[in-house]
Amino acid sequence: GFHCPPSYILGPKKANEVFPQLDEKVKYCAVLHEGQHNDARTCTSIALTAALKGATIANHVEVIAVLQGGPKGRTATGVRCKDRQTGEEFVLRAKSIVFAGGPFTDGLRKLEDPDSKPAVGAGGGSHIVLPGYYSPQGMGLADLRTSRGAFLFFLPWKGHTVVGTTDSKSPAQTSPGVSEDEIQYLLNEVGRYLSDDLQVRRCDVLSAWRGWRPLAKDPHAPPDAPASRDHLISTNPDTGVTFVTGGKWTTWREMAEHTVDRVLERAGTTAAFGPCVTKTTPLIGSEDFESNLNIKLIQAYGLNADVADHLVNTYGMRAVDVCELAKPTGRRWPRFGNVLVPGFPFIEAEVEYAVGEYCRSVKDLLSLRMRIAYINSDAAKEAVPRAAELMGQKLGWSKKKRAAQEKEAYARSEEHTSELQSP
């Protein structure tokens, strides 16, 4: 239901009024409107919505081999999987197999065909997080021509300021660590357009991370063909495996529709199904959403306003379920909502709720379910013991298991720390 307001121009005087952190030498600003979302929460919500619709999801499970048979011995008939938490291996059989591994798609394709040509040109993007006072609320900045000729954004994000992004070709990795050179580049670029009396210091970097864009490359195109930000769907004629890669968050439903259409068309079963319904299928938490839900949560549970806003922005209508798990604070105000780390809106009830949504490690809880590690690595380290205690109570961890979980979570928080050096 979002309708984007029109863009407009600000002269230097007005620009400095609404964005006092800007360098006064700015000539003018063009203001446009963009959206933000919690990408990890979106991903989790998609998986949970699929489960509600009948899909079987397997968390912490890796495909380690593609099973092949048929007349020529190459048709993919299933996959061998490994549960990374228990070490158990098992086989899944399927008539159709789709690889949707983002920047890791080529690794999956190598299991199917060791001689497959690359289809993903992974581009690494680094980001740093600064204190929130560097940007006004609701207003960010995009520099469309940095010293590298690329663009850079400087945006308010979860009470802080996120700065990014670099763009360097490199194989995708699971570690989010950022090199010191990339951090310094981002700091230098920020200093170019901020007021001279605002010195962005190295110690202001609260967290740093990298992500990889799965830039699509048609394996059958000429070697010098450019990578695309659009998605690419291709089916191996020998094995029958379909892969989808490229695209972006704003087109994920379209990517899913096109991919499933391709699979049904190849199977000759398109007529057995009606038209695709992804465009009208709400994600979990958005059903019958109430715009004043944050106010109702404050009134019903005595939450702090920032906690209520955070819960609604993260869980939608399911924020009520989180609040039902909240324990009394023992204070007059807030009555409910014990925070996990002072100064942040994340509450202990979210830990129990995350366990109910298949979260099985403290590392994932603090980085992908709550995003604390992405916002402030020191805060994530402070949260580790209590988070491990709460998760351990729900999952029946032994002291040894809990200690291992804490060690893993501390290691991941270190990867986000501002002092990280590249290996």
Side-chain angles (χ1 to χ4, degrees):
F2 174 73
H3 298 280
C4 188
S7 58
Y8 58 93
I9 298 296
L10 288 179
K13 182 178 179 181
K14 191 64 178 178
N16 283 115
E17 282 183 18
V18 300
F19 206 136
Q21 295 91 333
L22 276 179
D23 190 322
E24 293 182 357
K25 296 188 292 291
V26 65
K27 295 179 179 178
Y28 76 95
C29 291
V31 179
L32 55 91
H33 299 266
E34 275 282 2
Q36 293 185 359
H37 76 132
N38 182 335
D39 55 342
R41 182 62 198 171
T42 302
C43 183
T44 302
S45 298
I46 294 170
L48 294 172
T49 304
L52 287 174
K53 299 295 182 181
T56 298
I57 59 177
N59 199 22
H60 294 284
V61 171
E62 179 185 1
V63 173
I64 58 175
V66 175
L67 307 179
Q68 293 172 302
K72 297 182 180 180
R74 295 203 62 189
T75 302
T77 59
V79 293
R80 177 172 293 278
C81 302
K82 183 172 184 177
D83 186 324
R84 282 296 177 185
Q85 298 224 310
T86 66
E88 175 191 3
E89 293 187 10
F90 56 93
V91 169
L92 293 175
R93 297 286 180 180
K95 294 181 179 179
S96 299
I97 298 173
V98 176
F99 291 153
F104 301 97
T105 297
D106 281 340
L108 291 167
R109 295 176 59 237
K110 288 291 183 183
L111 298 176
E112 164 207 10
D113 180 5
D115 299 323
S116 61
K117 295 181 180 179
V120 181
S126 297
H127 309 74
I128 59 175
V129 175
L130 302 174
Y133 51 70
Y134 277 111
S135 59
Q137 186 176 6
M139 179 72 75
L141 185 145
D143 182 357
L144 303 183
R145 185 171 295 176
T146 65
S147 60
R148 292 184 180 179
F151 75 91
L152 182 137
F153 58 77
F154 182 88
L155 302 172
W157 183 66
K158 297 186 178 296
H160 296 68
T161 300
V162 62
V163 181
T165 176
T166 60
D167 194 353
S168 57
K169 291 184 178 179
S170 61
Q173 302 172 14
T174 55
S175 169
V178 177
S179 72
E180 184 64 27
D181 287 345
E182 294 285 83
I183 292 175
Q184 290 295 339
Y185 161 72
L186 292 172
L187 289 174
N188 291 339
E189 291 300 322
V190 165
R192 292 176 58 205
Y193 48 79
L194 289 186
S195 174
D196 291 338
D197 60 356
L198 276 182
Q199 297 298 319
V200 185
R201 305 165 300 175
R202 180 63 179 77
C203 61
D204 287 331
V205 179
L206 304 175
S207 182
W209 77 87
R210 284 184 296 174
W212 276 265
R213 303 176 188 84
L215 304 178
K217 293 175 60 178
D218 188 339
H220 305 295
D224 57 347
S228 171
R229 291 183 181 273
D230 295 328
H231 61 271
L232 169 69
I233 301 171
S234 181
T235 302
N236 187 323
D238 296 324
T239 66
V241 174
T242 298
F243 76 85
V244 55
T245 190
K248 45 196 172 183
W249 273 113
T250 49
T251 60
W252 71 265
R253 288 184 188 263
E254 182 183 54
M255 293 169 66
E257 180 175 344
H258 290 174
T259 304
V260 174
D261 283 351
R262 170 71 67 87
V263 170
L264 295 179
E265 182 181 352
R266 280 185 53 82
T269 57
T270 302
F273 299 89
C276 180
V277 296
T278 184
K279 195 177 292 187
T280 56
T281 301
L283 292 184
I284 181 174
S286 63
E287 315 94 323
D288 302 319
F289 183 76
E290 300 176 14
S291 57
N292 292 325
L293 180 59
N294 58 333
I295 298 174
K296 293 182 178 180
L297 293 182
I298 294 171
Q299 292 177 338
Y301 298 97
L303 302 175
N304 275 334
D306 62 335
V307 170
D309 290 343
H310 155 67
L311 294 177
V312 173
N313 288 335
T314 304
Y315 305 100
M317 292 301 293
R318 299 290 171 130
V320 177
D321 298 335
V322 179
C323 290
E324 284 295 305
L325 300 173
K327 304 295 190 296
T329 63
R331 299 190 297 273
R332 282 182 173 271
W333 193 270
R335 300 197 310 274
F336 289 86
N338 292 295
V339 296
L340 197 59
V341 184
F344 293 83
F346 307 99
I347 62 174
E348 293 183 352
E350 292 179 79
V351 179
E352 182 177 351
Y353 188 78
V355 170
E357 288 188 336
Y358 313 111
C359 183
R360 290 297 179 266
S361 73
V362 177
K363 175 195 73 174
D364 286 349
L365 176 79
L366 299 180
S367 59
L368 300 178
R369 300 305 182 101
M370 290 186 168
R371 314 315 301 270
I372 301 177
Y374 281 84
I375 298 171
N376 188 311
S377 58
D378 287 336
K381 294 172 191 174
E382 185 177 341
V384 167
R386 181 58 175 160
E389 179 184 0
L390 293 168
M391 288 192 73
Q393 291 171 357
K394 296 300 297 182
L395 295 171
W397 288 344
S398 65
K399 289 184 178 180
K400 183 178 179 181
K401 172 75 171 179
R402 179 173 154 186
Q405 284 283 328
E406 290 184 5
K407 182 178 180 181
E408 181 186 49
Y410 281 126
R412 174 47 62 96
S413 297
E414 283 293 337
E415 292 178 348
H416 285 278
T417 186
S418 59
E419 297 299 328
L420 183 75
Q421 301 291 329
S422 281

